Amino acid sequence: MALIVHKYGGTSMGSTERIRNVARRVAKWHKAGHQMVVVPSAMSGETNRLLGLAKELAPAKPGKAHGRELDMLASTGEQASSALLAIALQAEGMDAVSYAGWQVPIKTNDAYTKARIESIDDARVRADLEAGKVVIVTGFQGIDGDGNITTLGRGGSDTSAVAVAAALKAAECLIYTDVDGVYTTDPRVVPEARRLLRVSFEEMLEMASMGSKVLQIRSVEFAGKYQVPLRVLSSFTPWDIDLAEEAASGTLITFEEDEQMEQAVVSGIAFNRDEAKVSVLGVPDKPGIAAQILGAVADANIEVDVIIQNLSKDGKTDFSFTVHRNDYQKTLDLLKAQVVPALGAADVVGDNRICKVSIVGIGMRSHVGVASRMFRCLSNEGINIQMISTSEIKTSVVIDEKYMELAVRALHREFDLDRTADTISA
């Protein structure tokens, strides 16, 4: 008997019939002798519907109190889907119980709409598992130190599932979604994209951070930190598929590199449309400037990605960085109100029509010239590079959004990702 965590996305929970199929799949695993914990997302479209209602009623200048109410509202989507799944499991003859995040409890900080998990009390869940129950825990949410409901941000159910799996020391965490694994890039952009049988934790972390939407980056961070075996697979295979076949399907995210994986220089192309560039112009070129600019941004709970500081000219320099497009206007307003006057900067300008494209692969460690090959490929397509960021196993570029799909297709061809059969499924 193994303790297994299943996570199901909003599409998988999108109707009563789909919820019934999820229940049948979970029941199959339970009947095979496994202890089962399930973390479902809200039904597809429900969170957007709720937040849309809130937007219509929101105050002109929302504050922290508004964030609290958004979390109170948004958390109800997962509570509904969890209860519905428990009911469907009961109809399948299973003894099932659902819990909201605050009932477990999953304890978080108080950063509303972007909360981070601090601890999980697993006693209640373990007791139910020992009693033979299937336990359903709401994804995406928890409770802060003052007893307020919090949510973890978009994709937070992935993080909830991995965190629960880590707390329970589960044998494996299976992320069921509307795709059948991790691909070399998005098949909607490159039809020739191929599914990876396995990918290293490091590669998956880079791909998630660079824009791959298969897993939320914080879920991958959790998996790596607590060594949670993770598998991404499709919820749209027949629920009665052979259990052994299902357990070996999808893409396995591993924690050790093997010879097979190292044969590929580049494993995947990631991209992110949700980027915006902000530039603070004419700031004094002296120690502490970056800290002053980015410190103010961090205090506003805005995440920064690619950072570039230009060479100094006449004692002045330009400082550029990227943020999520949703934070673009907030960042501009913040810098104009606080940073420009304090530093005596000339101006703040921005561009919210950019994107980031990245090549990722552990094979890049042992191969030189990979970045220059990427730059040459983009140059041959007439694509101008605005910003560059690198790490040991990835290279990212910021380009004009209108060239994104062209760049992804060109790089996919350049690195033979449609023909790298040693590391991907046939």
Side-chain angles (χ1 to χ4, degrees):
M1 179 185 291
L3 198 164
I4 304 292
V5 174
H6 281 195
K7 183 267 175 179
Y8 291 91
T11 306
S12 309
M13 301 291 294
S15 66
T16 53
E17 184 56 36
R18 289 181 179 179
I19 291 172
R20 188 175 289 113
N21 285 335
V22 168
R24 289 167 176 164
R25 190 184 302 272
V26 172
K28 175 184 69 176
W29 282 74
H30 189 265
K31 290 173 182 176
H34 298 296
Q35 291 183 316
M36 297 299 301
V37 177
V38 187
V39 178
S41 295
M43 296 176 74
S44 180
E46 179 63 8
T47 302
N48 285 339
R49 185 186 72 84
L50 293 170
L51 294 180
L53 294 174
K55 188 175 181 179
E56 289 183 31
L57 301 170
K61 294 184 178 180
K64 191 166 186 177
H66 177 66
R68 179 195 183 279
E69 301 310 324
L70 285 180
D71 282 1
M72 185 77 169
L73 176 67
S75 65
T76 62
E78 275 72 18
Q79 291 175 33
S81 62
S82 295
L84 290 170
L85 180 56
I87 292 168
L89 278 162
Q90 291 163 6
E92 293 296 320
M94 298 287 104
D95 191 0
V97 60
S98 68
Y99 292 119
W102 59 268
Q103 292 176 302
V104 174
I106 297 172
K107 297 177 182 177
T108 75
N109 62 14
D110 64 353
Y112 299 121
T113 74
K114 295 181 181 179
R116 290 187 175 271
I117 295 173
E118 295 178 344
S119 66
I120 296 178
D121 186 340
D122 63 351
R124 193 172 190 176
V125 174
R126 286 192 180 279
D128 284 336
L129 291 174
E130 290 301 319
K133 295 180 180 180
V134 175
V135 180
I136 301 122
V137 179
T138 54
F140 177 61
Q141 63 193 256
I143 186 171
D144 70 10
D146 293 325
N148 297 305
I149 292 175
T150 58
T151 66
L152 311 181
R154 288 309 180 114
S157 292
D158 287 349
T159 302
S160 299
V162 176
V164 167
L168 295 171
K169 295 180 172 55
E172 190 162 285
C173 180
L174 279 63
I175 307 290
Y176 287 86
T177 182
D178 53 0
V179 296
D180 61 351
V182 180
Y183 277 69
T184 51
T185 196
D186 189 335
R188 291 170 297 185
V189 175
V190 182
E192 298 80 16
R194 305 291 293 276
R195 179 171 61 87
L196 295 158
L197 293 177
R198 60 185 64 81
V199 63
S200 75
F201 157 74
E202 290 177 279
E203 287 173 317
M204 193 66 241
L205 186 60
E206 292 285 10
M207 290 171 75
S209 67
M210 293 303 112
S212 173
K213 299 295 192 281
V214 177
L215 288 173
Q216 190 201 46
I217 183 171
R218 280 160 58 193
S219 70
V220 185
E221 290 171 345
F222 250 98
K225 183 177 182 180
Y226 295 103
Q227 298 289 288
V228 178
L230 203 57
R231 184 178 294 274
V232 178
L233 64 170
S234 174
S235 62
F236 294 117
T237 55
W239 68 267
D240 55 354
I241 185 176
D242 180 74
L243 188 65
E245 180 183 349
E246 183 175 357
S249 64
T251 299
L252 177 65
I253 301 172
T254 66
F255 303 95
E256 294 181 3
E257 301 166 17
D258 59 30
E259 292 181 1
Q260 184 183 33
M261 292 169 64
E262 290 193 46
Q263 291 176 5
V265 177
V266 173
S267 295
I269 312 293
F271 57 87
N272 190 355
R273 290 184 174 93
D274 300 324
E275 296 273 329
K277 182 173 70 172
V278 177
S279 299
V280 185
L281 308 179
V283 297
D285 187 16
K286 62 183 182 181
I289 290 298
Q292 285 183 258
I293 296 172
L294 297 181
V297 174
D299 289 343
N301 203 26
I302 297 170
E303 294 182 5
V304 172
D305 188 10
V306 183
I307 303 169
I308 287 181
Q309 182 171 331
N310 295 335
L311 289 174
S312 176
K313 182 178 181 182
D314 299 326
K316 300 284 187 178
T317 187
D318 298 335
F319 190 89
S320 301
F321 57 93
T322 62
V323 297
H324 193 282
R325 197 171 290 180
N326 289 344
D327 291 322
Y328 174 64
Q329 193 59 50
K330 181 180 178 181
T331 306
L332 287 180
D333 294 343
L334 171 72
L335 294 175
K336 289 177 180 178
Q338 297 183 22
V339 175
V340 170
L343 296 181
D347 197 6
V348 176
V349 297
D351 182 359
N352 62 353
R353 289 292 178 264
I354 60 163
C355 69
K356 181 174 61 178
V357 177
S358 310
I359 56 172
V360 179
I362 54 175
M364 293 170 66
R365 285 181 178 142
S366 54
H367 290 78
V368 298
V370 179
S372 62
R373 187 175 165 188
M374 177 189 194
F375 304 152
R376 185 170 58 251
C377 173
L378 295 176
S379 174
N380 290 340
E381 298 293 338
I383 300 173
N384 183 51
I385 298 172
Q386 300 180 24
M387 304 171 80
I388 300 170
S389 174
T390 65
S391 75
E392 192 177 26
I393 65 167
K394 65 92 180 165
T395 299
S396 301
V397 296
V398 173
I399 62 175
D400 192 304
E401 182 184 36
K402 65 184 179 183
Y403 295 120
M404 189 200 73
E405 294 193 6
L406 173 62
V408 172
R409 288 193 292 267
L411 291 169
H412 201 268
R413 288 194 304 270
E414 175 68 24
F415 291 101
D416 297 322
L417 290 178
D418 54 340
R419 296 192 294 274
T420 313
D422 291 323
T423 58
I424 56 182
S425 63

